[in-house]
Amino acid sequence: MKPCIFLLSAALLASGCTVGPNYKRPTAAVPGLYRGTTSDEATQTAFVALGDQKWWDIFRDEQLRTLIRTALTQNYDSRIAASRVLEAQAQLGITRADQFPSLSAGAGISDTRTAQSKFLPAFETSTGQLNLSAAWELDFWGKYRRATEAARANLVASEWARREVLSTLVANVAGAYLQLRAFDRELEISRRTLNSRQESLRLTRILADGGSTSLLDVRQAEQLVFTASAEIPVLEQEIEQQENFLSVLLGQNPGDIPRGQALTEQRQPPEVPSGLPSSLLERRPDIRQAEAQLVAANAEIGVARAAYFPQISLSGASGFQSSALSNLFSGPAGAWSFGASLTQPIFTGGRLRSGVRLAEARQQTAALFYQQSIQGAFRSVSDSLVAYHKTREFRAQQEQLFRSAEDAARLSHLRYNGGVTGYLEVLTNETNAFSTELGLVQAQLNELLALVQLYQALGGGWQQ
């Protein structure tokens, strides 16, 4: 085989063009500030944006950190996403291999005996051969380079998809754990309230037996006991089911979940700077995944357009062949061949044109999906910002409401013990105090969950 021919082919390939459009990021309307950003947050330029912070700096409960680490390692969604990255890496290797020549080697030996005939005597032949062959389809129009570009973009998309899974998993584990601690707190309140009301019922029965109060007061005291006791089995059910949910997130069978800090001990970062909206395009995994998919769709247009042009293929083989193995590498045993072919599509019934249109339509769809992802991300951040601010305000009001209801319950007991009012007033205020304390727990939980949602919306949680 003449190496100069392959060198000439390589030079032609290097000077070849690449059909199809080069990628250019679409323009996106990016606001200067997120809607819902307060004036104080807008001036927090010295702080690192919340989404840029590591998840272990946001969640300070050491037990929660341990659960998140376990989930990132064992959760099935996380492991599936990592496997898909490996698939994309292998697919890139397969696609990229089309740019290079393929080489193969072969060897063979055969013995043949021909039977005697009327005109020829019997004879035996022995043949040995050793050869090396090569084939190469020149990528003169950039078809394989565009396909490799698309495969590489798909690999990037799969990696950002994996990071999106990690971000969602961190948020889900944190939210589920905080919900579990809220159930624990509500169960603690219910049991404490039940013990207190059982003692009040006991004293009320003593007074009723002595004629100091009526049976109606006993029945009303019983209602308080039954109200608190009815909450306990419901909360115990919710706790066990929440533990089951968390166990699955951890990639484990349902079981007990170890606890760390109480709900009221969960510390929040002193500042929650949202950062600039323009940085969200580089930080949110779903946006980066959508852009990588757009890059791949854009490259596929070049692959489709290259089908219009001739396909140039080179092939060659060289080796040795001899009827005697001792003469395989000597004498006239050497052999070689070289060939080139050119194939030009002439009539395909509109297949090539439709292929280009299909690729262009997919590129337009990917571009619209990319822009839609950006718009959805801005809405998600704005919703999370307003939710975080309003849940903080609601929690502060709920704390005042609980203090007021708790004091009203205390005063009603004093009035009842002093004979100023009936037990109905105690019943009403005790019920209000109990429900407002449970409402305060829910308000505290909502504030923490809003922080988790804001952190995820800002693109945090995937950093390792």
Side-chain angles (χ1 to χ4, degrees):
M1 186 184 304
K2 298 181 179 180
C4 60
I5 299 179
F6 272 98
L7 292 176
L8 178 60
S9 302
L12 290 173
L13 178 63
S15 62
C17 59
T18 302
V19 298
N22 294 323
Y23 174 73
K24 182 179 180 182
R25 175 181 285 183
T27 59
V30 179
L33 290 174
Y34 297 111
R35 185 183 183 190
T37 303
T38 64
S39 56
D40 292 337
E41 291 172 346
T43 59
Q44 292 174 354
T45 56
F47 295 96
V48 178
L50 184 69
D52 286 330
Q53 300 181 40
K54 306 294 190 297
W55 58 261
W56 54 86
D57 293 329
I58 300 297
F59 307 115
R60 306 297 180 88
D61 187 333
E62 191 57 43
Q63 186 56 54
L64 175 56
R65 291 173 176 173
T66 301
L67 295 177
I68 292 177
R69 292 189 186 99
T70 302
L72 292 176
T73 303
Q74 300 182 5
N75 179 267
Y76 282 101
D77 288 336
S78 173
R79 292 158 66 181
I80 290 171
S83 297
R84 286 173 176 165
V85 173
L86 297 179
E87 290 179 16
Q89 289 176 343
Q91 186 59 53
L92 172 60
I94 293 172
T95 304
R96 186 171 179 269
D98 290 333
Q99 299 182 52
F100 304 97
S102 62
L103 300 174
S104 60
I109 184 172
S110 63
D111 289 320
T112 304
R113 182 181 187 281
T114 302
Q116 180 179 355
S117 66
K118 182 177 181 180
F119 302 100
L120 295 173
F123 66 91
E124 294 182 6
T125 60
S126 177
T127 303
Q129 61 178 2
L130 180 68
N131 61 72
L132 179 68
S133 60
W136 191 10
E137 182 176 336
L138 300 182
D139 192 23
F140 191 80
W141 313 109
K143 177 177 68 174
Y144 294 130
R145 278 171 284 168
R146 287 298 191 192
T148 301
E149 180 183 348
R152 185 175 291 109
N154 286 327
L155 171 59
V156 174
S158 65
E159 174 58 30
W160 281 109
R162 185 187 71 86
R163 296 181 184 183
E164 172 67 12
V165 169
L166 298 183
S167 177
T168 303
L169 182 60
V170 168
N172 287 344
V173 172
Y177 178 79
L178 293 173
Q179 181 67 73
L180 179 61
R181 299 306 283 138
F183 286 148
D184 291 338
R185 176 61 179 161
E186 291 177 352
L187 182 60
E188 177 187 336
I189 293 172
S190 298
R191 287 174 172 170
R192 185 198 68 211
T193 303
L194 177 60
N195 292 334
S196 175
R197 291 179 177 181
Q198 285 175 335
E199 178 63 20
S200 297
L201 175 59
R202 187 184 67 83
L203 296 176
T204 303
R205 283 173 174 168
I206 292 175
L207 292 175
D209 292 341
S212 300
T213 188
S214 66
L215 184 61
L216 178 61
D217 290 347
V218 175
R219 295 292 180 261
Q220 290 173 336
E222 288 175 345
Q223 293 178 39
L224 290 176
V225 171
F226 298 150
T227 301
S229 62
E231 288 290 329
I232 293 177
V234 174
L235 290 170
E236 289 175 339
Q237 172 189 337
E238 291 177 331
I239 286 173
E240 193 160 337
Q241 291 175 341
Q242 191 70 9
E243 286 182 322
N244 294 342
F245 174 61
L246 254 175
S247 297
V248 172
L249 288 178
L250 300 180
Q252 301 172 354
N253 291 326
D256 296 334
I257 298 296
R259 311 299 205 267
Q261 298 174 350
L263 184 71
T264 54
E265 297 173 348
Q266 300 293 328
R267 291 178 293 172
Q268 301 185 38
E271 305 290 343
V272 286
S274 56
L276 296 176
S278 57
S279 65
L280 194 67
L281 306 186
E282 306 297 329
R283 189 168 59 238
R284 282 225 0 174
D286 58 336
I287 295 179
R288 296 297 299 273
Q289 179 190 1
E291 184 176 17
Q293 291 171 340
L294 174 58
V295 173
N298 188 79
E300 290 291 349
I301 297 178
V303 176
R305 289 182 179 176
Y308 277 112
F309 300 95
Q311 297 180 5
I312 305 173
S313 300
L314 304 177
S315 62
S318 66
F320 302 91
Q321 183 175 0
S322 175
S323 59
L325 293 180
S326 59
N327 298 327
L328 184 61
F329 298 103
S330 63
W336 63 268
S337 66
F338 174 78
S341 65
L342 183 147
T343 304
Q344 170 64 55
I346 298 177
F347 177 75
T348 60
R351 178 186 297 272
L352 300 182
R353 181 173 63 252
S354 296
V356 173
R357 290 177 178 176
L358 176 61
E360 290 174 343
R362 287 175 174 172
Q363 189 270 349
Q364 293 173 7
T365 302
L368 293 172
F369 182 76
Y370 170 67
Q371 294 171 322
Q372 183 185 46
S373 299
I374 295 174
Q375 195 174 71
F378 289 148
R379 178 196 170 182
S380 177
V381 173
S382 297
D383 288 348
S384 300
L385 279 170
V386 69
Y388 179 68
H389 294 146
K390 297 307 176 182
T391 53
R392 295 192 72 179
E393 294 177 11
F394 181 80
R395 187 261 308 157
Q397 295 298 320
Q398 194 70 16
E399 286 178 345
Q400 297 182 18
L401 177 61
F402 168 65
R403 285 194 293 267
S404 177
E406 186 180 39
D407 195 49
R410 181 185 63 83
L411 293 175
S412 64
H413 272 286
L414 293 177
R415 285 164 55 83
Y416 174 74
N417 293 333
V420 178
T421 186
Y423 204 84
L424 179 61
E425 181 178 304
V426 176
L427 172 65
T428 301
N429 288 289
E430 277 281 352
T431 302
N432 289 340
F434 181 52
S435 62
T436 54
E437 187 170 12
L438 294 180
L440 176 59
V441 174
Q442 189 62 45
Q444 293 168 337
L445 171 65
N446 289 340
E447 181 181 1
L448 292 171
L449 291 180
L451 176 64
V452 174
Q453 293 168 359
L454 176 59
Y455 180 58
Q456 182 186 9
L458 289 170
W462 56 265
Q463 300 91 335
Q464 300 297 306

